[in-house]
Each structure stands twice: as structure tokens, then as C-alpha cells.
Amino acid sequence: MKRPFFAVLGGMGTLATESYIRLVNQASHAHCDQEYLDYVVFNDASVPDRTAFILGRSDDDPFPVIADDIKKATAIGADFIVLTCNTAHYFYDRFQALTPVPILHMPRGAVHALSARYPAGQVSRVAFLGTEGSRASGVYKHEVEHAGYTFIEPDAQLQQRIDSLIYDDVKGGRSLDEYRYLDAITQMLDKGGKYHCDAAILGCTELSVLNEAFPHHELPIIDAQAVLVEDTVHLAMAARSQSADHN
């Protein structure tokens, strides 16, 4: 009997992929080997930097590398594909055109969760914390505004601090600093401050690593990777149940 499995396109970065996999395993609530979900991980750390390419700072195109992984995942029979990099969703439509296998859309899932937890009309201003590449691509801006919210970005100075959290602290292997992480978020959520946002989306998986390390459930945060974990487990469990019914 072929049990359904999904493919994870990771390595962007590796610590963020580790975080995603760990959370998927926890969310499976397994009590023995056979109760864990079946998946294949492409930890493709060789994928060129997405932000550098999107911003024109590098000619090293990440698309062909990720596209090759998608083709391999399709060839081995994955039931769905998970792209664990927010910035790489710049290429999402081109990726999906390569395969009949559905690829989960992390920004869209995050905004769906935002709408469920903090409906438009009750809240208005939504902060976005992510890479410069994700900002430039507009993928979150489009989804947030389409859902009826006002999309708020950090200014250049705050963006530099967010970039440092992403590239120095997590990707660079520096000690994780709760104060630096929390300060960036609370600046955008401070009702008496410059941004006065009602909710914040963590739209970078390195920020999700920080959120896993330093959870603040009292804050109105939508962690895109945490939502992706929920969506992954839901789909994988449904596929497993359907497969069992047919055997």
C-alpha cells in the first residue's frame, strides 16, 4: 500500500526548515513511529539568495534550482509540495505551472488565518515583518489588501534591524536575542507610536524561528510558518485518511 506523502522544499534557510519540520512532528501528536507523517525534505541550501536576486543585487537566479526540486518531488509522487520560504513565493505562479501537484501558498494561508482571528472591520492596520525581497515582490501586500486590511511596512531604519535579525541572528548563527526580536514587533504594534498596527504578520521563516524560541501569545501575531504547519498537517492527515478508506 502506498501511503501518501508530501515534499518539503527547504534549506532557505536550514535552521528555519528544522523549525518547520520539528513543529510538524509535534503537531502530528504521534505516539509511535507509524503515526508520524510521511514526507521528503529537499534541504537545498545551495538555492541562491532570493532577496538579492529580486532586488537586482545578484544575477544568481534561484528559480532553476527550486524548479529542479519541484520536478523531482513531482516525479517521486508527492501528494502536495510545501515551499518553506516566504520570499521564494515571488516565483509561486511559475512554480505551480511546472507541476500538477498543488504547492501550498504560505502568504495566502497566513492572511486566511489573519482573517479568521482578526477580521477586517474589527482590525484595520496590519504590520508586515519580512525580508526586503518579500516587500519588493508585493506578495504579502497583495494578499493583505485583497482581504480588506491596510498593509503597513517598516521604515528603512526598522527594516535594517529586521534584516539583522534574519541574516545575522538566525542565518548567521548568532545568539538569538529576545529583546531585539520583541522590540521590532512592539514598535509596529505600539498604539501610541509611528505605526500603531492592530496585528503583525511574521512573513519570514527566520522570524518564525525567533517566534518559536520566544513565544508571546499575548501579542496579535500571525506567524506564517506556524500557519503553514497547521495547513500541512491538516492536508497530510486528510490524505492519509482518504488513502486508508480506499484500501
Side-chain angles (χ1 to χ4, degrees):
M1 179 182 73
K2 174 189 174 295
R3 291 180 62 174
F5 71 95
F6 59 94
V8 180
L9 308 185
M12 302 172 277
T14 295
L15 292 182
T17 303
E18 285 184 6
S19 172
Y20 165 81
I21 291 298
R22 182 168 53 252
L23 292 172
V24 164
N25 290 339
Q26 291 174 2
S28 302
H29 300 296
H31 296 95
C32 64
D33 287 344
Q34 292 73 27
E35 291 182 357
Y36 285 97
L37 298 173
D38 297 309
Y39 53 81
V40 173
V41 180
F42 293 82
N43 195 67
D44 206 339
S46 62
V47 176
D49 188 274
R50 284 67 61 202
T51 290
F53 180 78
I54 291 169
L55 297 180
R57 298 172 183 167
S58 169
D59 294 328
D60 202 358
D61 189 351
F63 178 83
V65 183
I66 302 173
D68 183 60
D69 292 338
I70 290 171
K71 292 173 183 176
K72 289 173 180 174
T74 303
I76 63 175
D79 289 84
F80 63 91
I81 295 171
V82 183
L83 177 60
T84 60
C85 174
N86 287 276
T87 309
H89 282 72
Y90 171 78
F91 305 101
Y92 178 85
D93 290 340
R94 292 172 63 193
F95 288 151
Q96 189 61 83
L98 296 171
T99 178
V101 179
I103 303 174
L104 300 192
H105 195 293
M106 182 153 46
R108 198 166 292 155
V111 174
H112 180 76
L114 172 72
S115 297
R117 298 177 199 175
Y118 309 106
Q122 295 182 21
V123 305
S124 173
R125 297 170 65 84
V126 175
F128 174 73
L129 292 84
T131 66
E132 292 180 81
S134 289
R135 286 178 56 176
S137 73
V139 62
Y140 270 96
K141 179 178 173 66
H142 171 76
E143 297 295 334
V144 168
E145 291 183 342
H146 182 71
Y149 301 91
T150 301
F151 183 82
I152 306 297
E153 299 176 345
D155 62 17
Q157 184 179 23
L158 182 53
Q159 183 63 50
Q160 286 181 352
R161 294 170 63 188
I162 294 168
D163 288 343
S164 180
L165 288 169
I166 295 168
Y167 288 97
D168 298 330
D169 290 22
V170 182
K171 288 183 183 291
R174 194 162 68 182
S175 296
L176 303 185
D177 187 321
E178 182 176 10
Y179 173 79
R180 278 162 41 83
Y181 161 68
L182 189 59
D183 184 62
I185 296 174
T186 53
Q187 274 199 53
M188 301 201 78
L189 293 174
D190 183 0
K191 290 298 184 181
K194 176 179 180 179
Y195 302 101
H196 54 92
C197 293
D198 302 300
I201 293 177
L202 300 183
C204 175
T205 51
E206 274 68 37
L207 297 178
S208 298
V209 170
L210 287 158
N211 188 53
E212 183 188 2
F214 310 118
H216 284 270
H217 302 296
E218 77 280 6
L219 295 176
I221 295 171
I222 298 295
D223 180 345
Q225 178 175 271
V227 175
L228 184 65
V229 167
E230 294 175 4
D231 292 344
T232 300
V233 173
H234 175 77
L235 276 178
M237 291 290 193
R240 175 176 288 185
S241 177
Q242 184 177 30
S243 176
D245 290 344
H246 291 163
N247 289 278

